[in-house]
PDB file of all heavy atoms in Angstrom:
ATOM      1  N   LYS A 201       0.893 -10.721   1.270  1.00 69.00           N
ATOM      2  CA  LYS A 201      -0.540 -10.880   1.576  1.00 69.00           C
ATOM      3  C   LYS A 201      -1.350  -9.639   1.224  1.00 69.00           C
ATOM      4  O   LYS A 201      -2.464  -9.727   0.726  1.00 69.00           O
ATOM      5  CB  LYS A 201      -0.709 -11.212   3.056  1.00 69.00           C
ATOM      6  CG  LYS A 201      -0.200 -12.594   3.429  1.00 69.00           C
ATOM      7  CD  LYS A 201      -0.397 -12.871   4.904  1.00 69.00           C
ATOM      8  CE  LYS A 201       0.147 -14.250   5.265  1.00 69.00           C
ATOM      9  NZ  LYS A 201       0.030 -14.520   6.717  1.00 69.00           N
ATOM     10  N   ALA A 202      -0.798  -8.461   1.504  1.00 67.00           N
ATOM     11  CA  ALA A 202      -1.537  -7.212   1.236  1.00 67.00           C
ATOM     12  C   ALA A 202      -1.786  -7.059  -0.260  1.00 67.00           C
ATOM     13  O   ALA A 202      -2.886  -6.677  -0.683  1.00 67.00           O
ATOM     14  CB  ALA A 202      -0.757  -6.013   1.768  1.00 67.00           C
ATOM     15  N   THR A 203      -0.787  -7.385  -1.053  1.00 68.00           N
ATOM     16  CA  THR A 203      -0.926  -7.299  -2.508  1.00 68.00           C
ATOM     17  C   THR A 203      -1.975  -8.290  -2.989  1.00 68.00           C
ATOM     18  O   THR A 203      -2.791  -7.978  -3.862  1.00 68.00           O
ATOM     19  CB  THR A 203       0.427  -7.588  -3.195  1.00 68.00           C
ATOM     20  OG1 THR A 203       1.419  -6.748  -2.621  1.00 68.00           O
ATOM     21  CG2 THR A 203       0.353  -7.341  -4.667  1.00 68.00           C
ATOM     22  N   PHE A 204      -1.961  -9.481  -2.404  1.00 72.00           N
ATOM     23  CA  PHE A 204      -2.935 -10.507  -2.785  1.00 72.00           C
ATOM     24  C   PHE A 204      -4.362 -10.045  -2.474  1.00 72.00           C
ATOM     25  O   PHE A 204      -5.271 -10.211  -3.289  1.00 72.00           O
ATOM     26  CB  PHE A 204      -2.643 -11.822  -2.061  1.00 72.00           C
ATOM     27  CG  PHE A 204      -3.592 -12.926  -2.431  1.00 72.00           C
ATOM     28  CD1 PHE A 204      -3.469 -13.579  -3.631  1.00 72.00           C
ATOM     29  CD2 PHE A 204      -4.621 -13.292  -1.564  1.00 72.00           C
ATOM     30  CE1 PHE A 204      -4.356 -14.595  -3.984  1.00 72.00           C
ATOM     31  CE2 PHE A 204      -5.502 -14.298  -1.903  1.00 72.00           C
ATOM     32  CZ  PHE A 204      -5.361 -14.957  -3.114  1.00 72.00           C
ATOM     33  N   ARG A 205      -4.553  -9.437  -1.290  1.00 74.00           N
ATOM     34  CA  ARG A 205      -5.894  -8.946  -0.928  1.00 74.00           C
ATOM     35  C   ARG A 205      -6.365  -7.870  -1.899  1.00 74.00           C
ATOM     36  O   ARG A 205      -7.534  -7.856  -2.293  1.00 74.00           O
ATOM     37  CB  ARG A 205      -5.880  -8.411   0.506  1.00 74.00           C
ATOM     38  CG  ARG A 205      -5.906  -9.512   1.569  1.00 74.00           C
ATOM     39  CD  ARG A 205      -6.244  -8.948   2.938  1.00 74.00           C
ATOM     40  NE  ARG A 205      -5.210  -8.030   3.423  1.00 74.00           N
ATOM     41  CZ  ARG A 205      -4.156  -8.394   4.141  1.00 74.00           C
ATOM     42  NH1 ARG A 205      -4.000  -9.675   4.461  1.00 74.00           N
ATOM     43  NH2 ARG A 205      -3.262  -7.512   4.537  1.00 74.00           N
ATOM     44  N   SER A 206      -5.479  -6.971  -2.281  1.00 72.00           N
ATOM     45  CA  SER A 206      -5.839  -5.917  -3.242  1.00 72.00           C
ATOM     46  C   SER A 206      -6.220  -6.518  -4.588  1.00 72.00           C
ATOM     47  O   SER A 206      -7.189  -6.099  -5.223  1.00 72.00           O
ATOM     48  CB  SER A 206      -4.674  -4.943  -3.440  1.00 72.00           C
ATOM     49  OG  SER A 206      -4.401  -4.262  -2.255  1.00 72.00           O
ATOM     50  N   PHE A 207      -5.450  -7.516  -5.007  1.00 71.00           N
ATOM     51  CA  PHE A 207      -5.732  -8.160  -6.288  1.00 71.00           C
ATOM     52  C   PHE A 207      -7.107  -8.812  -6.268  1.00 71.00           C
ATOM     53  O   PHE A 207      -7.898  -8.669  -7.199  1.00 71.00           O
ATOM     54  CB  PHE A 207      -4.655  -9.197  -6.619  1.00 71.00           C
ATOM     55  CG  PHE A 207      -4.855  -9.852  -7.949  1.00 71.00           C
ATOM     56  CD1 PHE A 207      -4.370  -9.267  -9.100  1.00 71.00           C
ATOM     57  CD2 PHE A 207      -5.549 -11.057  -8.054  1.00 71.00           C
ATOM     58  CE1 PHE A 207      -4.560  -9.859 -10.338  1.00 71.00           C
ATOM     59  CE2 PHE A 207      -5.746 -11.654  -9.285  1.00 71.00           C
ATOM     60  CZ  PHE A 207      -5.246 -11.058 -10.427  1.00 71.00           C
ATOM     61  N   VAL A 208      -7.389  -9.537  -5.189  1.00 73.00           N
ATOM     62  CA  VAL A 208      -8.689 -10.211  -5.062  1.00 73.00           C
ATOM     63  C   VAL A 208      -9.817  -9.184  -5.080  1.00 73.00           C
ATOM     64  O   VAL A 208     -10.840  -9.377  -5.748  1.00 73.00           O
ATOM     65  CB  VAL A 208      -8.731 -11.062  -3.778  1.00 73.00           C
ATOM     66  CG1 VAL A 208     -10.149 -11.550  -3.486  1.00 73.00           C
ATOM     67  CG2 VAL A 208      -7.778 -12.241  -3.897  1.00 73.00           C
ATOM     68  N   LYS A 209      -9.624  -8.091  -4.369  1.00 75.00           N
ATOM     69  CA  LYS A 209     -10.652  -7.045  -4.286  1.00 75.00           C
ATOM     70  C   LYS A 209     -11.000  -6.474  -5.654  1.00 75.00           C
ATOM     71  O   LYS A 209     -12.175  -6.268  -5.983  1.00 75.00           O
ATOM     72  CB  LYS A 209     -10.157  -5.920  -3.362  1.00 75.00           C
ATOM     73  CG  LYS A 209     -11.114  -4.757  -3.233  1.00 75.00           C
ATOM     74  CD  LYS A 209     -10.520  -3.669  -2.361  1.00 75.00           C
ATOM     75  CE  LYS A 209     -11.412  -2.439  -2.325  1.00 75.00           C
ATOM     76  NZ  LYS A 209     -10.804  -1.348  -1.533  1.00 75.00           N
ATOM     77  N   PHE A 210      -9.987  -6.227  -6.479  1.00 71.00           N
ATOM     78  CA  PHE A 210     -10.225  -5.576  -7.770  1.00 71.00           C
ATOM     79  C   PHE A 210     -10.551  -6.566  -8.889  1.00 71.00           C
ATOM     80  O   PHE A 210     -11.294  -6.218  -9.811  1.00 71.00           O
ATOM     81  CB  PHE A 210      -9.015  -4.735  -8.183  1.00 71.00           C
ATOM     82  CG  PHE A 210      -8.912  -3.450  -7.428  1.00 71.00           C
ATOM     83  CD1 PHE A 210      -8.011  -3.321  -6.377  1.00 71.00           C
ATOM     84  CD2 PHE A 210      -9.714  -2.368  -7.735  1.00 71.00           C
ATOM     85  CE1 PHE A 210      -7.916  -2.138  -5.664  1.00 71.00           C
ATOM     86  CE2 PHE A 210      -9.634  -1.184  -7.033  1.00 71.00           C
ATOM     87  CZ  PHE A 210      -8.725  -1.059  -5.984  1.00 71.00           C
ATOM     88  N   SER A 211     -10.000  -7.774  -8.831  1.00 73.00           N
ATOM     89  CA  SER A 211     -10.189  -8.687  -9.958  1.00 73.00           C
ATOM     90  C   SER A 211     -11.382  -9.616  -9.802  1.00 73.00           C
ATOM     91  O   SER A 211     -11.942 -10.071 -10.793  1.00 73.00           O
ATOM     92  CB  SER A 211      -8.926  -9.517 -10.187  1.00 73.00           C
ATOM     93  OG  SER A 211      -8.704 -10.376  -9.106  1.00 73.00           O
ATOM     94  N   THR A 212     -11.803  -9.896  -8.553  1.00 76.00           N
ATOM     95  CA  THR A 212     -12.900 -10.845  -8.349  1.00 76.00           C
ATOM     96  C   THR A 212     -14.202 -10.415  -9.026  1.00 76.00           C
ATOM     97  O   THR A 212     -14.842 -11.236  -9.696  1.00 76.00           O
ATOM     98  CB  THR A 212     -13.137 -11.099  -6.845  1.00 76.00           C
ATOM     99  OG1 THR A 212     -11.934 -11.644  -6.290  1.00 76.00           O
ATOM    100  CG2 THR A 212     -14.268 -12.084  -6.629  1.00 76.00           C
TER     101      THR A 212
END
Side-chain angles (χ1 to χ4, degrees):
K201 291 180 181 177
T203 308
F204 181 76
R205 283 194 295 270
S206 296
F207 182 86
V208 169
K209 178 183 175 183
F210 284 102
S211 66
T212 300

